[in-house]
Amino acid sequence: MIAQTNLSGFCSNPKNLHFPPQSSPSFIRSPQIVSFKSISNPTIPINVSSKRLLQCSSISQSSDVFPSDVDESAGGLRRKKLAVFVSGGGSNFRSIYEATVNGLVHGDVVVLVTNKPGCGGAEYARDKGIPVILFPKPKESISEDDLVDTLRRYEIDFIILAGYLKLIPTELIRAYPRSILNIHPSLLPAFGGKGFYGMKVHNAVIKSGARFSGPTVHYVDEHYDTGRILAQSVVPVLADDTADKLAARVLHKEHEMYVDVVAAICEERVIWRADGVPIIRSKNNPDEYC
């Protein structure tokens, strides 16, 4: 059943749902080591005990990039700070960034991490005045702890993977529990795992004879595409489909659904059932879940 938003799942008032007392929206507050607003040096030291640096683009301090932290229209919630990871064109990153600017997402993209500094996503970030961090950095021994320290200096709340093709370090997953999301272009757990990305996924779906596909947003763990599923959206596989045609339809759903999910986490509407499954509370009716 398709929910009223772009999330596939259920929106109901389930009387038999019981959440543990410690359940809370899926977010963490990073240690406030360095305020992002106070940074003016374009080169950010990432480890006070090390001379190694991650090179960042110049950091804009315009009010467009840094709106007020607290919005009364959003119930007094603090705007969340997002780090987006990309390796390619970054179309999902662009959709999310535009949604933050247009007020659809109660958060801000404050830094972009990439392993390909010349990719389209990185160029777009620079055009918008968003700092770009290169990780991993070729020919230099920059540790995972250095990356964690850098993100904490930016006071990052959530990490959003948008076509980042490197396996996320265990150190980062431990530092940001239940706070790293990825989007995959198939209905996981089908057609996921190492080697399944991009057009390889869509070719495999068509060759399998599957009648349905679609994107999945899931939490990130130590392995490829095995984290807890948060949202899915169904796309039919047509009889005369090619991988290119299917990819275009799935990508359109990705742009819609990922924005909806990021909006939900920034509004603290993700809760965890007693069995460890994350679900999204409806924005319009807090007694319904999507």
PDB file of all heavy atoms in Angstrom, residues 248-282:
ATOM      1  N   ALA A 248      15.531   5.633 -15.161  1.00  0.00           N
ATOM      2  CA  ALA A 248      14.960   6.978 -15.152  1.00  0.00           C
ATOM      3  C   ALA A 248      13.735   7.047 -14.244  1.00  0.00           C
ATOM      4  O   ALA A 248      13.560   8.018 -13.481  1.00  0.00           O
ATOM      5  CB  ALA A 248      14.603   7.401 -16.572  1.00  0.00           C
ATOM      6  N   ARG A 249      12.883   6.012 -14.290  1.00  0.00           N
ATOM      7  CA  ARG A 249      11.680   6.025 -13.458  1.00  0.00           C
ATOM      8  C   ARG A 249      12.031   5.850 -11.980  1.00  0.00           C
ATOM      9  O   ARG A 249      11.434   6.486 -11.110  1.00  0.00           O
ATOM     10  CB  ARG A 249      10.702   4.926 -13.906  1.00  0.00           C
ATOM     11  CG  ARG A 249      10.095   5.183 -15.267  1.00  0.00           C
ATOM     12  CD  ARG A 249       8.798   4.404 -15.453  1.00  0.00           C
ATOM     13  NE  ARG A 249       8.939   2.990 -15.182  1.00  0.00           N
ATOM     14  CZ  ARG A 249       9.466   2.103 -16.029  1.00  0.00           C
ATOM     15  NH1 ARG A 249       9.919   2.503 -17.210  1.00  0.00           N
ATOM     16  NH2 ARG A 249       9.544   0.829 -15.710  1.00  0.00           N
ATOM     17  N   VAL A 250      12.990   4.988 -11.708  1.00  0.00           N
ATOM     18  CA  VAL A 250      13.406   4.788 -10.320  1.00  0.00           C
ATOM     19  C   VAL A 250      14.057   6.059  -9.773  1.00  0.00           C
ATOM     20  O   VAL A 250      13.795   6.465  -8.630  1.00  0.00           O
ATOM     21  CB  VAL A 250      14.373   3.587 -10.211  1.00  0.00           C
ATOM     22  CG1 VAL A 250      14.974   3.513  -8.800  1.00  0.00           C
ATOM     23  CG2 VAL A 250      13.652   2.287 -10.534  1.00  0.00           C
ATOM     24  N   LEU A 251      14.884   6.721 -10.573  1.00  0.00           N
ATOM     25  CA  LEU A 251      15.563   7.931 -10.117  1.00  0.00           C
ATOM     26  C   LEU A 251      14.559   9.030  -9.784  1.00  0.00           C
ATOM     27  O   LEU A 251      14.730   9.775  -8.811  1.00  0.00           O
ATOM     28  CB  LEU A 251      16.548   8.420 -11.168  1.00  0.00           C
ATOM     29  CG  LEU A 251      17.420   9.621 -10.766  1.00  0.00           C
ATOM     30  CD1 LEU A 251      18.284   9.271  -9.559  1.00  0.00           C
ATOM     31  CD2 LEU A 251      18.286  10.071 -11.944  1.00  0.00           C
ATOM     32  N   HIS A 252      13.506   9.136 -10.582  1.00  0.00           N
ATOM     33  CA  HIS A 252      12.458  10.126 -10.296  1.00  0.00           C
ATOM     34  C   HIS A 252      11.843   9.866  -8.916  1.00  0.00           C
ATOM     35  O   HIS A 252      11.630  10.808  -8.133  1.00  0.00           O
ATOM     36  CB  HIS A 252      11.378  10.055 -11.378  1.00  0.00           C
ATOM     37  CG  HIS A 252      10.229  10.988 -11.139  1.00  0.00           C
ATOM     38  ND1 HIS A 252      10.331  12.355 -11.281  1.00  0.00           N
ATOM     39  CD2 HIS A 252       8.948  10.749 -10.747  1.00  0.00           C
ATOM     40  CE1 HIS A 252       9.169  12.919 -10.998  1.00  0.00           C
ATOM     41  NE2 HIS A 252       8.324  11.967 -10.661  1.00  0.00           N
ATOM     42  N   LYS A 253      11.595   8.600  -8.595  1.00  0.00           N
ATOM     43  CA  LYS A 253      11.062   8.250  -7.281  1.00  0.00           C
ATOM     44  C   LYS A 253      12.086   8.519  -6.174  1.00  0.00           C
ATOM     45  O   LYS A 253      11.732   8.916  -5.062  1.00  0.00           O
ATOM     46  CB  LYS A 253      10.646   6.777  -7.251  1.00  0.00           C
ATOM     47  CG  LYS A 253       9.339   6.480  -7.952  1.00  0.00           C
ATOM     48  CD  LYS A 253       8.171   7.084  -7.195  1.00  0.00           C
ATOM     49  CE  LYS A 253       6.855   6.671  -7.801  1.00  0.00           C
ATOM     50  NZ  LYS A 253       5.688   7.271  -7.083  1.00  0.00           N
ATOM     51  N   GLU A 254      13.365   8.273  -6.485  1.00  0.00           N
ATOM     52  CA  GLU A 254      14.411   8.535  -5.501  1.00  0.00           C
ATOM     53  C   GLU A 254      14.383   9.989  -5.055  1.00  0.00           C
ATOM     54  O   GLU A 254      14.440  10.295  -3.856  1.00  0.00           O
ATOM     55  CB  GLU A 254      15.794   8.218  -6.088  1.00  0.00           C
ATOM     56  CG  GLU A 254      16.107   6.744  -6.239  1.00  0.00           C
ATOM     57  CD  GLU A 254      17.513   6.521  -6.748  1.00  0.00           C
ATOM     58  OE1 GLU A 254      18.408   7.327  -6.395  1.00  0.00           O
ATOM     59  OE2 GLU A 254      17.739   5.563  -7.509  1.00  0.00           O
ATOM     60  N   HIS A 255      14.314  10.902  -6.034  1.00  0.00           N
ATOM     61  CA  HIS A 255      14.347  12.325  -5.714  1.00  0.00           C
ATOM     62  C   HIS A 255      13.190  12.710  -4.797  1.00  0.00           C
ATOM     63  O   HIS A 255      13.367  13.515  -3.872  1.00  0.00           O
ATOM     64  CB  HIS A 255      14.284  13.148  -7.004  1.00  0.00           C
ATOM     65  CG  HIS A 255      15.493  12.998  -7.852  1.00  0.00           C
ATOM     66  ND1 HIS A 255      15.536  13.392  -9.173  1.00  0.00           N
ATOM     67  CD2 HIS A 255      16.729  12.480  -7.582  1.00  0.00           C
ATOM     68  CE1 HIS A 255      16.733  13.138  -9.681  1.00  0.00           C
ATOM     69  NE2 HIS A 255      17.472  12.593  -8.734  1.00  0.00           N
ATOM     70  N   GLU A 256      12.025  12.170  -5.045  1.00  0.00           N
ATOM     71  CA  GLU A 256      10.859  12.480  -4.219  1.00  0.00           C
ATOM     72  C   GLU A 256      10.984  11.854  -2.829  1.00  0.00           C
ATOM     73  O   GLU A 256      10.783  12.525  -1.803  1.00  0.00           O
ATOM     74  CB  GLU A 256       9.589  11.967  -4.909  1.00  0.00           C
ATOM     75  CG  GLU A 256       9.263  12.653  -6.224  1.00  0.00           C
ATOM     76  CD  GLU A 256       8.036  12.047  -6.882  1.00  0.00           C
ATOM     77  OE1 GLU A 256       7.650  10.922  -6.501  1.00  0.00           O
ATOM     78  OE2 GLU A 256       7.463  12.700  -7.767  1.00  0.00           O
ATOM     79  N   MET A 257      11.285  10.557  -2.801  1.00  0.00           N
ATOM     80  CA  MET A 257      11.261   9.826  -1.538  1.00  0.00           C
ATOM     81  C   MET A 257      12.384  10.255  -0.600  1.00  0.00           C
ATOM     82  O   MET A 257      12.178  10.386   0.620  1.00  0.00           O
ATOM     83  CB  MET A 257      11.345   8.317  -1.798  1.00  0.00           C
ATOM     84  CG  MET A 257      11.183   7.484  -0.536  1.00  0.00           C
ATOM     85  SD  MET A 257      11.159   5.709  -0.853  1.00  0.00           S
ATOM     86  CE  MET A 257      12.874   5.438  -1.304  1.00  0.00           C
ATOM     87  N   TYR A 258      13.578  10.490  -1.149  1.00  0.00           N
ATOM     88  CA  TYR A 258      14.698  10.844  -0.286  1.00  0.00           C
ATOM     89  C   TYR A 258      14.443  12.180   0.411  1.00  0.00           C
ATOM     90  O   TYR A 258      14.780  12.358   1.580  1.00  0.00           O
ATOM     91  CB  TYR A 258      15.989  10.896  -1.096  1.00  0.00           C
ATOM     92  CG  TYR A 258      17.206  10.356  -0.364  1.00  0.00           C
ATOM     93  CD1 TYR A 258      17.120   9.839   0.926  1.00  0.00           C
ATOM     94  CD2 TYR A 258      18.463  10.356  -0.973  1.00  0.00           C
ATOM     95  CE1 TYR A 258      18.238   9.337   1.583  1.00  0.00           C
ATOM     96  CE2 TYR A 258      19.575   9.852  -0.324  1.00  0.00           C
ATOM     97  CZ  TYR A 258      19.463   9.350   0.952  1.00  0.00           C
ATOM     98  OH  TYR A 258      20.575   8.852   1.606  1.00  0.00           O
ATOM     99  N   VAL A 259      13.858  13.126  -0.301  1.00  0.00           N
ATOM    100  CA  VAL A 259      13.513  14.408   0.315  1.00  0.00           C
ATOM    101  C   VAL A 259      12.521  14.191   1.456  1.00  0.00           C
ATOM    102  O   VAL A 259      12.660  14.766   2.538  1.00  0.00           O
ATOM    103  CB  VAL A 259      12.942  15.390  -0.733  1.00  0.00           C
ATOM    104  CG1 VAL A 259      12.306  16.599  -0.046  1.00  0.00           C
ATOM    105  CG2 VAL A 259      14.040  15.855  -1.681  1.00  0.00           C
ATOM    106  N   ASP A 260      11.505  13.349   1.225  1.00  0.00           N
ATOM    107  CA  ASP A 260      10.519  13.059   2.267  1.00  0.00           C
ATOM    108  C   ASP A 260      11.172  12.448   3.503  1.00  0.00           C
ATOM    109  O   ASP A 260      10.840  12.803   4.640  1.00  0.00           O
ATOM    110  CB  ASP A 260       9.447  12.103   1.741  1.00  0.00           C
ATOM    111  CG  ASP A 260       8.458  12.776   0.804  1.00  0.00           C
ATOM    112  OD1 ASP A 260       8.439  14.017   0.766  1.00  0.00           O
ATOM    113  OD2 ASP A 260       7.708  12.060   0.116  1.00  0.00           O
ATOM    114  N   VAL A 261      12.098  11.526   3.286  1.00  0.00           N
ATOM    115  CA  VAL A 261      12.745  10.851   4.417  1.00  0.00           C
ATOM    116  C   VAL A 261      13.655  11.818   5.177  1.00  0.00           C
ATOM    117  O   VAL A 261      13.657  11.837   6.419  1.00  0.00           O
ATOM    118  CB  VAL A 261      13.540   9.627   3.937  1.00  0.00           C
ATOM    119  CG1 VAL A 261      14.382   9.053   5.075  1.00  0.00           C
ATOM    120  CG2 VAL A 261      12.601   8.553   3.400  1.00  0.00           C
ATOM    121  N   VAL A 262      14.429  12.611   4.452  1.00  0.00           N
ATOM    122  CA  VAL A 262      15.311  13.580   5.119  1.00  0.00           C
ATOM    123  C   VAL A 262      14.482  14.596   5.899  1.00  0.00           C
ATOM    124  O   VAL A 262      14.852  15.005   7.004  1.00  0.00           O
ATOM    125  CB  VAL A 262      16.239  14.266   4.099  1.00  0.00           C
ATOM    126  CG1 VAL A 262      17.054  15.367   4.764  1.00  0.00           C
ATOM    127  CG2 VAL A 262      17.183  13.241   3.467  1.00  0.00           C
ATOM    128  N   ALA A 263      13.350  15.005   5.330  1.00  0.00           N
ATOM    129  CA  ALA A 263      12.455  15.895   6.062  1.00  0.00           C
ATOM    130  C   ALA A 263      11.982  15.250   7.363  1.00  0.00           C
ATOM    131  O   ALA A 263      11.922  15.899   8.412  1.00  0.00           O
ATOM    132  CB  ALA A 263      11.256  16.274   5.189  1.00  0.00           C
ATOM    133  N   ALA A 264      11.676  13.961   7.314  1.00  0.00           N
ATOM    134  CA  ALA A 264      11.189  13.246   8.496  1.00  0.00           C
ATOM    135  C   ALA A 264      12.251  13.163   9.591  1.00  0.00           C
ATOM    136  O   ALA A 264      11.951  13.371  10.772  1.00  0.00           O
ATOM    137  CB  ALA A 264      10.722  11.846   8.106  1.00  0.00           C
ATOM    138  N   ILE A 265      13.488  12.870   9.226  1.00  0.00           N
ATOM    139  CA  ILE A 265      14.522  12.766  10.264  1.00  0.00           C
ATOM    140  C   ILE A 265      14.843  14.135  10.850  1.00  0.00           C
ATOM    141  O   ILE A 265      15.113  14.254  12.040  1.00  0.00           O
ATOM    142  CB  ILE A 265      15.796  12.062   9.759  1.00  0.00           C
ATOM    143  CG1 ILE A 265      16.488  12.861   8.667  1.00  0.00           C
ATOM    144  CG2 ILE A 265      15.501  10.651   9.310  1.00  0.00           C
ATOM    145  CD1 ILE A 265      17.844  12.318   8.262  1.00  0.00           C
ATOM    146  N   CYS A 266      14.790  15.174  10.024  1.00  0.00           N
ATOM    147  CA  CYS A 266      15.064  16.516  10.534  1.00  0.00           C
ATOM    148  C   CYS A 266      13.949  17.003  11.454  1.00  0.00           C
ATOM    149  O   CYS A 266      14.189  17.835  12.339  1.00  0.00           O
ATOM    150  CB  CYS A 266      15.252  17.494   9.376  1.00  0.00           C
ATOM    151  SG  CYS A 266      16.810  17.287   8.476  1.00  0.00           S
ATOM    152  N   GLU A 267      12.743  16.499  11.252  1.00  0.00           N
ATOM    153  CA  GLU A 267      11.613  16.848  12.106  1.00  0.00           C
ATOM    154  C   GLU A 267      11.437  15.863  13.259  1.00  0.00           C
ATOM    155  O   GLU A 267      10.432  15.907  13.979  1.00  0.00           O
ATOM    156  CB  GLU A 267      10.335  16.905  11.264  1.00  0.00           C
ATOM    157  CG  GLU A 267      10.343  18.035  10.249  1.00  0.00           C
ATOM    158  CD  GLU A 267       9.227  17.928   9.233  1.00  0.00           C
ATOM    159  OE1 GLU A 267       8.365  17.017   9.369  1.00  0.00           O
ATOM    160  OE2 GLU A 267       9.208  18.740   8.293  1.00  0.00           O
ATOM    161  N   GLU A 268      12.389  14.955  13.408  1.00  0.00           N
ATOM    162  CA  GLU A 268      12.403  13.990  14.509  1.00  0.00           C
ATOM    163  C   GLU A 268      11.153  13.109  14.499  1.00  0.00           C
ATOM    164  O   GLU A 268      10.569  12.797  15.541  1.00  0.00           O
ATOM    165  CB  GLU A 268      12.556  14.723  15.853  1.00  0.00           C
ATOM    166  CG  GLU A 268      13.805  15.594  15.891  1.00  0.00           C
ATOM    167  CD  GLU A 268      13.951  16.384  17.174  1.00  0.00           C
ATOM    168  OE1 GLU A 268      13.180  16.138  18.119  1.00  0.00           O
ATOM    169  OE2 GLU A 268      14.842  17.263  17.225  1.00  0.00           O
ATOM    170  N   ARG A 269      10.772  12.657  13.302  1.00  0.00           N
ATOM    171  CA  ARG A 269       9.585  11.817  13.160  1.00  0.00           C
ATOM    172  C   ARG A 269       9.918  10.347  12.947  1.00  0.00           C
ATOM    173  O   ARG A 269       9.028   9.546  12.673  1.00  0.00           O
ATOM    174  CB  ARG A 269       8.709  12.322  12.008  1.00  0.00           C
ATOM    175  CG  ARG A 269       8.030  13.649  12.311  1.00  0.00           C
ATOM    176  CD  ARG A 269       6.987  14.024  11.272  1.00  0.00           C
ATOM    177  NE  ARG A 269       7.565  14.502  10.027  1.00  0.00           N
ATOM    178  CZ  ARG A 269       7.495  13.867   8.870  1.00  0.00           C
ATOM    179  NH1 ARG A 269       6.907  12.684   8.794  1.00  0.00           N
ATOM    180  NH2 ARG A 269       8.030  14.391   7.784  1.00  0.00           N
ATOM    181  N   VAL A 270      11.181   9.975  13.057  1.00  0.00           N
ATOM    182  CA  VAL A 270      11.567   8.563  12.954  1.00  0.00           C
ATOM    183  C   VAL A 270      11.622   7.967  14.356  1.00  0.00           C
ATOM    184  O   VAL A 270      12.281   8.500  15.244  1.00  0.00           O
ATOM    185  CB  VAL A 270      12.929   8.400  12.264  1.00  0.00           C
ATOM    186  CG1 VAL A 270      13.365   6.934  12.280  1.00  0.00           C
ATOM    187  CG2 VAL A 270      12.869   8.911  10.833  1.00  0.00           C
ATOM    188  N   ILE A 271      10.897   6.881  14.548  1.00  0.00           N
ATOM    189  CA  ILE A 271      10.934   6.165  15.822  1.00  0.00           C
ATOM    190  C   ILE A 271      11.268   4.707  15.548  1.00  0.00           C
ATOM    191  O   ILE A 271      11.159   4.238  14.410  1.00  0.00           O
ATOM    192  CB  ILE A 271       9.609   6.292  16.592  1.00  0.00           C
ATOM    193  CG1 ILE A 271       8.468   5.667  15.792  1.00  0.00           C
ATOM    194  CG2 ILE A 271       9.299   7.755  16.916  1.00  0.00           C
ATOM    195  CD1 ILE A 271       7.146   5.672  16.530  1.00  0.00           C
ATOM    196  N   TRP A 272      11.666   4.000  16.604  1.00  0.00           N
ATOM    197  CA  TRP A 272      12.107   2.616  16.453  1.00  0.00           C
ATOM    198  C   TRP A 272      11.177   1.688  17.228  1.00  0.00           C
ATOM    199  O   TRP A 272      10.964   1.882  18.429  1.00  0.00           O
ATOM    200  CB  TRP A 272      13.547   2.468  16.938  1.00  0.00           C
ATOM    201  CG  TRP A 272      14.515   3.208  16.068  1.00  0.00           C
ATOM    202  CD1 TRP A 272      14.713   4.556  16.021  1.00  0.00           C
ATOM    203  CD2 TRP A 272      15.391   2.632  15.102  1.00  0.00           C
ATOM    204  NE1 TRP A 272      15.673   4.867  15.082  1.00  0.00           N
ATOM    205  CE2 TRP A 272      16.111   3.702  14.507  1.00  0.00           C
ATOM    206  CE3 TRP A 272      15.656   1.331  14.688  1.00  0.00           C
ATOM    207  CZ2 TRP A 272      17.060   3.496  13.520  1.00  0.00           C
ATOM    208  CZ3 TRP A 272      16.607   1.121  13.706  1.00  0.00           C
ATOM    209  CH2 TRP A 272      17.295   2.196  13.124  1.00  0.00           C
ATOM    210  N   ARG A 273      10.627   0.697  16.537  1.00  0.00           N
ATOM    211  CA  ARG A 273       9.783  -0.284  17.203  1.00  0.00           C
ATOM    212  C   ARG A 273      10.618  -1.148  18.137  1.00  0.00           C
ATOM    213  O   ARG A 273      11.848  -1.183  18.053  1.00  0.00           O
ATOM    214  CB  ARG A 273       9.104  -1.190  16.166  1.00  0.00           C
ATOM    215  CG  ARG A 273       8.051  -0.490  15.354  1.00  0.00           C
ATOM    216  CD  ARG A 273       7.193  -1.443  14.540  1.00  0.00           C
ATOM    217  NE  ARG A 273       7.831  -2.675  14.108  1.00  0.00           N
ATOM    218  CZ  ARG A 273       7.549  -3.296  12.961  1.00  0.00           C
ATOM    219  NH1 ARG A 273       6.648  -2.781  12.143  1.00  0.00           N
ATOM    220  NH2 ARG A 273       8.153  -4.425  12.641  1.00  0.00           N
ATOM    221  N   ALA A 274       9.930  -1.860  19.013  1.00  0.00           N
ATOM    222  CA  ALA A 274      10.621  -2.714  19.975  1.00  0.00           C
ATOM    223  C   ALA A 274      11.454  -3.794  19.296  1.00  0.00           C
ATOM    224  O   ALA A 274      12.434  -4.287  19.859  1.00  0.00           O
ATOM    225  CB  ALA A 274       9.608  -3.348  20.928  1.00  0.00           C
ATOM    226  N   ASP A 275      11.068  -4.177  18.056  1.00  0.00           N
ATOM    227  CA  ASP A 275      11.825  -5.206  17.333  1.00  0.00           C
ATOM    228  C   ASP A 275      12.973  -4.625  16.523  1.00  0.00           C
ATOM    229  O   ASP A 275      13.605  -5.329  15.743  1.00  0.00           O
ATOM    230  CB  ASP A 275      10.894  -6.013  16.418  1.00  0.00           C
ATOM    231  CG  ASP A 275      10.181  -5.141  15.393  1.00  0.00           C
ATOM    232  OD1 ASP A 275      10.385  -3.902  15.394  1.00  0.00           O
ATOM    233  OD2 ASP A 275       9.408  -5.684  14.574  1.00  0.00           O
ATOM    234  N   GLY A 276      13.255  -3.319  16.700  1.00  0.00           N
ATOM    235  CA  GLY A 276      14.394  -2.706  16.022  1.00  0.00           C
ATOM    236  C   GLY A 276      14.111  -2.199  14.630  1.00  0.00           C
ATOM    237  O   GLY A 276      15.048  -1.849  13.902  1.00  0.00           O
ATOM    238  N   VAL A 277      12.851  -2.134  14.236  1.00  0.00           N
ATOM    239  CA  VAL A 277      12.486  -1.637  12.905  1.00  0.00           C
ATOM    240  C   VAL A 277      12.157  -0.148  12.999  1.00  0.00           C
ATOM    241  O   VAL A 277      11.321   0.246  13.824  1.00  0.00           O
ATOM    242  CB  VAL A 277      11.281  -2.409  12.335  1.00  0.00           C
ATOM    243  CG1 VAL A 277      10.800  -1.771  11.031  1.00  0.00           C
ATOM    244  CG2 VAL A 277      11.654  -3.868  12.106  1.00  0.00           C
ATOM    245  N   PRO A 278      12.800   0.701  12.164  1.00  0.00           N
ATOM    246  CA  PRO A 278      12.475   2.129  12.182  1.00  0.00           C
ATOM    247  C   PRO A 278      11.251   2.420  11.334  1.00  0.00           C
ATOM    248  O   PRO A 278      11.081   1.852  10.257  1.00  0.00           O
ATOM    249  CB  PRO A 278      13.723   2.770  11.559  1.00  0.00           C
ATOM    250  CG  PRO A 278      14.241   1.725  10.611  1.00  0.00           C
ATOM    251  CD  PRO A 278      13.917   0.394  11.248  1.00  0.00           C
ATOM    252  N   ILE A 279      10.391   3.295  11.822  1.00  0.00           N
ATOM    253  CA  ILE A 279       9.223   3.721  11.058  1.00  0.00           C
ATOM    254  C   ILE A 279       9.082   5.233  11.186  1.00  0.00           C
ATOM    255  O   ILE A 279       9.618   5.855  12.104  1.00  0.00           O
ATOM    256  CB  ILE A 279       7.931   3.021  11.510  1.00  0.00           C
ATOM    257  CG1 ILE A 279       7.681   3.235  12.993  1.00  0.00           C
ATOM    258  CG2 ILE A 279       7.977   1.540  11.176  1.00  0.00           C
ATOM    259  CD1 ILE A 279       6.371   2.642  13.480  1.00  0.00           C
ATOM    260  N   ILE A 280       8.338   5.798  10.243  1.00  0.00           N
ATOM    261  CA  ILE A 280       8.189   7.246  10.175  1.00  0.00           C
ATOM    262  C   ILE A 280       6.795   7.648  10.618  1.00  0.00           C
ATOM    263  O   ILE A 280       5.803   7.145  10.095  1.00  0.00           O
ATOM    264  CB  ILE A 280       8.462   7.742   8.739  1.00  0.00           C
ATOM    265  CG1 ILE A 280       9.911   7.448   8.339  1.00  0.00           C
ATOM    266  CG2 ILE A 280       8.179   9.245   8.629  1.00  0.00           C
ATOM    267  CD1 ILE A 280      10.232   7.789   6.898  1.00  0.00           C
ATOM    268  N   ARG A 281       6.754   8.564  11.555  1.00  0.00           N
ATOM    269  CA  ARG A 281       5.480   9.090  12.020  1.00  0.00           C
ATOM    270  C   ARG A 281       4.947  10.082  10.991  1.00  0.00           C
ATOM    271  O   ARG A 281       5.688  10.923  10.469  1.00  0.00           O
ATOM    272  CB  ARG A 281       5.671   9.783  13.367  1.00  0.00           C
ATOM    273  CG  ARG A 281       4.360  10.128  14.085  1.00  0.00           C
ATOM    274  CD  ARG A 281       4.624  10.923  15.346  1.00  0.00           C
ATOM    275  NE  ARG A 281       5.452  10.207  16.302  1.00  0.00           N
ATOM    276  CZ  ARG A 281       4.983   9.352  17.190  1.00  0.00           C
ATOM    277  NH1 ARG A 281       3.694   9.090  17.248  1.00  0.00           N
ATOM    278  NH2 ARG A 281       5.801   8.752  18.039  1.00  0.00           N
ATOM    279  N   SER A 282       3.668   9.986  10.693  1.00  0.00           N
ATOM    280  CA  SER A 282       3.050  10.886   9.723  1.00  0.00           C
ATOM    281  C   SER A 282       3.145  12.332  10.200  1.00  0.00           C
ATOM    282  O   SER A 282       2.933  12.628  11.375  1.00  0.00           O
ATOM    283  CB  SER A 282       1.579  10.506   9.518  1.00  0.00           C
ATOM    284  OG  SER A 282       0.900  11.514   8.778  1.00  0.00           O
TER     285      SER A 282
END
